[in-house]
Amino acid sequence: MAGRSRNTPDQQPSEGEGLLPADYDLADLYGAQSGDEDPDDTAVLIPPITLPSDAELAAAALAVPLISRVVALARWIAPHREVDEHGDLGEADRVRAARLLGAEDPDEDDVVEAMRAWALACDLDLVETGTTDEGTHVAIPGPDLAAVEAGEPAAVLGLWFEAAELVRELAAEAESVDPEVVEGGPDDDGEALAEVEDAREQAAEILDEALHVLYETTAFAEPGAETVPLGVLAALLVVPDGQEPDEEMLGEITDLMVVLDPMLGDLAELGLVEHRPIDPDLFEEGEGEAGAPGEAAEVVDTDRPLTEEDAARFGTVRLTPLGQYAVREWLLADGYDAPLVGDLADQDGPALLRALAENGQLFAEPELKAWLAARDPRDAARELLAGARGRDVQSPVRRYYCVLGLGELGEDAAPLVREAVDDPELGGLAREWLRARGADVAAADREVALWRVIDSMAAVMLLTAGEGGRLQALVADLPVTDNPASYFGEVWRVPHPMTVEVLEAVGELHLDRKVAKEARRAAVRARSLRGQTG
């Protein structure tokens, strides 16, 4: 796979040109499909996905018409069938094969489609060809046919994935082939073929980047909202983060839509994507002042809002679960970390919280749910609390995710949480959690309460890198008294690993200038104390 895309679904250019009516906003094409996730999160980590079981994926693969035709042909030739020296069926058998695949009175197109399936069956070794001792050329079923027909997941997915790799390669190759070059004379063959190879590599890179964007989009999308307008997909590849498209970019978006459309159609035939192609009526048919061939016609009424049907005419695409499976395999092969939700289910609580603290912003909630589902609630609570202890820099985030997990467990966790009310690191968390659920537990002592304030703010700072409004809201809600010098005189002594950083954030963000000043003074003292004790 190519490197990650320049954009994510939350960053959409404003309008398209060419195929896209200039009066329309790409956000109208995309609707409300983008999620709330921070798009910068994907710069480092591929978002996790949830895949169906291998058995379900295998069933979906066998249901792909092209795969079912390949399997039917392999079964049909048993125990063997004569072929020519190239492994091709004779004329009569070609017609029989087309009839086998559903054509009652096969015409030339039916035969061509049957032979496409035959070629794929041979490429996948589901049909093997050879020569008998008597010199007869024959085709026989490959050794994996029985396992594939039995629906064995490993065999079926192996077959389908091999087909997916072939189709992915051929889609890029077909897009890059210029008939004039292919049919050109021998004088410029070398240069022309080099141009074709460069074009093939470019097409392959474009397709890989598009699949990567679709993978991320599908991971972030709400269920049922995974379909992406082709114009949005192209814009996500063209427009740099945070920029609005200029005229040149708008032209590139249209060009890219036209390039991607047939390649995605090829992938759809194997079930990698669901694809609605660009409506051919959007293109000018004739030449002249109205536009050259291939330019988009103004066929959409720009005086009314763009409907879903209008948007669909520009082409749409959705990555299927099979497509997610394939793209993930390609990402892994290229060295990306492409996790699945539930990958941490066999880890203990401390390992789970460490992993979430490192990169859990993208998948904490589903990963926690998968982890909890595999455990007795009390055992889970015990492990989470054990993993939340510590005073290292990442410990506030571990405690943050511990609270999320305890919240999922609810009252089942209460007995274990109650045991932690006097813990020096968990006591504030535990008392806060229990009191929020109506338990008769005394509030934390002053020192513990202040430590908990610092810990909570530190977790948000680490999770958000100080961006967004969450930290600002916490700073605004600090329980500062009318005497901020007295309040911060206590806070700077709190023995938390991030006391300094929290006080500096308060000094920068608090809207009350007097409070901000005292926070900055306290931060200086806390830093001095850290130097003395460090």
Side-chain angles (χ1 to χ4, degrees), residues 391-394 396 454 457-459 461-462 494-504 530:
R391 298 204 176 192
D392 56 281
V393 174
Q394 286 287 0
I454 295 293
M457 293 187 65
M461 289 176 64
L462 291 167
V494 173
H496 190 282
M498 290 192 64
T499 298
V500 174
E501 290 75 12
V502 168
L503 286 170
E504 288 175 341
R530 179 186 289 176

Side-chain angles (χ1 to χ4, degrees), residues 457 460-461 464-478 488 501-517 519-520:
M457 293 187 65
V460 172
M461 289 176 64
T464 65
E467 300 296 329
R470 293 174 63 189
L471 184 59
Q472 180 75 58
L474 283 177
V475 169
D477 289 341
L478 270 178
F488 289 112
E501 290 75 12
V502 168
L503 286 170
E504 288 175 341
V506 175
E508 180 181 348
L509 298 174
H510 206 289
L511 299 180
D512 187 313
R513 295 177 63 181
K514 185 177 180 180
V515 172
K517 179 180 178 180
R520 289 194 294 271

Side-chain angles (χ1 to χ4, degrees), residues 162-365:
E162 188 177 350
E165 295 203 290
L166 286 171
V167 170
R168 170 191 176 207
E169 181 179 342
L170 292 173
E173 186 174 307
E175 174 59 31
S176 66
V177 171
D178 184 341
E180 293 183 5
V181 171
V182 174
E183 297 171 8
D187 293 339
D188 58 353
D189 271 358
E191 183 177 346
L193 291 176
E195 290 178 1
V196 169
E197 180 60 23
D198 287 344
R200 188 202 65 77
E201 291 179 358
Q202 291 176 13
E205 182 177 352
I206 288 170
L207 182 58
D208 282 355
E209 288 187 356
L211 289 172
H212 193 157
V213 169
L214 284 173
Y215 187 89
E216 294 187 356
T217 302
T218 304
F220 286 125
E222 293 295 326
E226 300 92 346
T227 299
V228 180
L230 201 52
V232 172
L233 175 60
L236 294 173
L237 291 166
V238 168
V239 184
D241 291 351
Q243 291 190 24
E244 294 293 318
D246 55 26
E247 279 198 31
E248 182 178 354
M249 290 179 189
L250 293 173
E252 290 178 15
I253 290 170
T254 295
D255 292 343
L256 196 54
M257 290 169 64
V258 174
V259 169
L260 284 171
D261 194 52
M263 291 196 288
L264 294 172
D266 289 342
L267 298 186
E269 190 175 19
L270 202 64
L272 277 92
V273 298
E274 292 176 359
H275 171 241
R276 175 167 174 170
I278 299 172
D279 186 340
D281 289 341
L282 290 172
F283 295 96
E284 282 280 310
E285 295 293 338
E287 298 184 26
E289 294 182 2
E295 290 185 354
E298 289 291 343
V299 297
V300 178
D301 180 7
T302 57
D303 292 330
R304 60 174 174 77
L306 190 66
T307 67
E308 289 186 9
E309 183 59 27
D310 290 333
R313 296 186 67 195
F314 297 108
T316 62
V317 62
R318 170 184 172 270
L319 197 64
T320 65
L322 276 173
Q324 287 182 293
Y325 169 82
V327 175
R328 179 173 181 268
E329 290 297 318
W330 291 325
L331 289 169
L332 291 172
D334 283 347
Y336 285 89
D337 179 14
L340 290 176
V341 173
D343 275 352
L344 301 175
D346 60 347
Q347 302 291 309
D348 63 15
L352 169 75
L353 294 182
R354 283 196 301 271
L356 295 183
E358 290 171 3
N359 51 35
Q361 294 96 318
L362 292 176
F363 62 103
E365 185 176 350

